[in-house]
Amino acid sequence: MSKTKIQSLAISLSEAEPAVIKCMEAGLVPILSSQPGVGKSALIKQIADKFELELIDVRLAQCEPADLLGLPKIGEKKATYLPMSIFPIKGDTPPKSKKGWLLFLDEIRNADTQVQHAAYKIVLDRMIGEFPLHENCFVVCAGNREEDASFVTPMPSALKSRLIHLNIRLDSKAWFDYAYKAQIDPRIITYLQYKPSMLANSYTDSAEESYACPRTWEFASKLIKDVDLTKVDMTTHVLLSGAVGNAAASDFIAYTRYFSKLPKYEDIVSGKAKPVDNNDSGLIWATISMLAEKAQEADLATVFKYLRPTPVDFRFSLFTMLHENKYPNFFMKDKDVAAEISEIADIFLKHVESR
């Protein structure tokens, strides 16, 4: 009789960060499990940067046992095992401007069983072959889940019981926070705010080779950099389909047709533009996207005055993109701007405090 698989409590990436840090402080090894492309690797890099740690990214699915256990060196009477140079051992000096290392053992569930066994020594004993890991080296693991059709290898119970299991769920709010800071193309950010369900497809049921998820939308952002989406050519369509799948790409391209209906930026600044239609959320999001790209600091009071009739969610999105990517303190510099965005700024500050 098959057993029903029960997962640990699912948490968001933003909730996972303090949990991972707590494990590191306690000398324990967490493992982050989720569907592919949610952002586990980005979170680990963020933690490494936060604590000034050199990130060592080891993809266990591409490793042999000897990569973790060391290679033999023949001596006069006995052989010893020498560790690979990427691993920090006792006595090593941290890289310049770093306080230590974060050893990230990724794809642990996709690794061969023998590689998983070789990882025991790192996780259980903090040893690379015969050498102890440096005392300032922290270890974190990650992998995909068995139900995600990711060709995972069942993890031995002896290894499972030595890890702190953190089950990560997709969190759109956390992704948008990341997208603002990472300068994801505003057209993609506003599209996914217009169609939140398109952030991640049900890829396990899809016949397509590519699918939409946070990782592939970031790929798409790079592909459309400096591309005029008011007239999408076949090459752009093919590339977007190759990143996020044809269904998501086609829907995104349909959204970009709004760009041909947008008021001119010059007309908005001069006061000639007609108010945006509040009954068409797609058009409003497209307008926000255009303003995020074109708005000049000297025009911000006029820009937000133009958007005053729109719901605060739209104005908040523009405020956040401008604050994160272009003008960090613009709302503190000009009394006219402050008057136009006082409501949004209050919401933004509460949002920051809740992170």
Side-chain angles (χ1 to χ4, degrees):
M1 182 182 296
S2 62
K3 296 181 180 179
T4 302
K5 186 173 179 62
I6 302 175
Q7 292 183 338
S8 56
L9 181 67
I11 57 176
S12 68
L13 275 178
S14 56
E15 293 166 331
E17 180 176 354
V20 170
I21 293 169
K22 184 66 176 178
C23 289
M24 292 165 59
E25 291 173 343
L28 299 172
V29 179
I31 176 170
L32 281 63
S33 302
S34 74
Q35 68 183 67
V38 165
K40 300 184 294 292
S41 299
L43 173 64
I44 299 307
K45 183 180 186 305
Q46 180 178 309
I47 292 173
D49 292 341
K50 183 174 185 177
F51 291 96
E52 300 177 42
L53 301 173
E54 180 76 6
L55 179 62
I56 304 171
D57 191 336
V58 178
R59 307 299 171 99
L60 293 182
Q62 303 170 21
C63 289
E64 299 289 340
D67 297 333
L68 306 182
L69 297 175
L71 297 173
K73 179 185 178 182
I74 308 300
E76 291 185 8
K77 295 183 179 180
K78 293 183 178 181
T80 58
Y81 285 86
L82 297 180
M84 294 292 186
S85 61
I86 62 170
F87 296 111
I89 60 175
K90 188 174 181 179
D92 286 348
T93 302
K96 188 177 181 181
S97 76
K98 300 293 183 181
K99 297 179 178 177
W101 299 263
L102 200 166
L103 176 56
F104 182 36
L105 302 179
D106 200 3
E107 301 177 352
I108 191 169
R109 294 182 185 273
N110 300 90
D112 181 80
T113 301
Q114 295 303 313
V115 175
Q116 290 186 355
H117 281 291
Y120 279 10
K121 203 168 183 66
I122 299 176
V123 173
L124 277 61
D125 303 322
R126 290 182 54 81
M127 299 282 290
I128 300 292
E130 301 172 7
F131 295 83
L133 277 175
H134 195 285
E135 58 272 19
N136 290 342
C137 178
F138 303 90
V139 182
V140 176
C141 300
N144 298 320
R145 304 170 304 187
E146 293 180 19
E147 63 268 31
D148 291 321
S150 298
F151 307 104
V152 302
T153 303
M155 188 181 294
S157 57
L159 181 56
K160 277 185 179 180
S161 65
R162 265 73 174 191
L163 298 169
I164 305 300
H165 296 261
L166 303 176
N167 185 33
I168 310 299
R169 59 177 168 80
L170 179 63
D171 179 4
S172 58
K173 176 183 176 296
W175 185 82
F176 283 119
D177 284 346
Y178 166 78
Y180 294 135
K181 294 179 180 178
Q183 298 187 22
I184 302 298
D185 193 291
R187 295 168 293 186
I188 287 178
I189 293 177
T190 55
Y191 165 69
L192 293 173
Q193 289 171 320
Y194 172 52
K195 290 278 189 77
S197 63
M198 299 304 292
L199 178 57
N201 285 347
S202 179
Y203 62 92
T204 52
D205 300 325
S206 174
E208 295 192 70
E209 293 181 311
S210 49
Y211 56 89
C213 68
R215 177 194 296 154
T216 55
W217 279 117
E218 190 161 1
F219 293 164
S221 175
K222 295 176 180 178
L223 291 171
I224 63 172
K225 182 178 174 59
D226 301 323
V227 174
D228 181 2
L229 295 182
T230 58
K231 36 190 176 183
V232 177
D233 59 19
M234 181 54 70
T235 299
T236 301
H237 196 153
V238 167
L239 288 171
L240 286 171
S241 296
V244 298
N246 188 54
S250 297
D251 197 64
F252 173 67
I253 289 169
Y255 164 75
T256 65
R257 291 175 188 149
Y258 279 112
F259 299 149
S260 62
K261 304 177 183 178
L262 298 181
K264 292 181 179 179
Y265 178 73
E266 295 76 13
D267 290 345
I268 292 176
V269 173
S270 67
K272 297 178 182 177
K274 294 181 179 179
V276 67
D277 183 358
N278 272 357
N279 294 316
D280 192 337
S281 61
L283 183 59
I284 301 175
W285 281 125
T287 303
I288 297 298
S289 171
M290 179 268 288
L291 291 172
E293 180 183 359
K294 294 188 175 183
Q296 301 299 308
E297 190 168 15
D299 302 331
L300 292 179
T302 305
V303 165
F304 279 98
K305 183 177 181 180
Y306 172 75
L307 291 173
R308 193 187 295 166
T310 63
V312 70
D313 288 352
F314 299 101
R315 290 176 282 146
F316 175 79
S317 182
L318 176 61
F319 177 99
T320 307
M321 282 187 273
L322 292 173
H323 177 268
E324 297 287 0
N325 298 331
K326 296 177 74 174
Y327 311 118
N329 299 309
F330 72 89
F331 58 95
M332 300 170 61
K333 293 181 179 180
D334 188 305
K335 64 179 182 179
D336 292 329
V337 174
E340 289 297 333
I341 64 173
S342 58
E343 177 187 13
I344 313 167
D346 288 343
I347 295 172
F348 178 76
L349 291 173
K350 291 177 183 177
H351 174 73
V352 170
E353 289 170 359
S354 68
R355 287 180 181 176

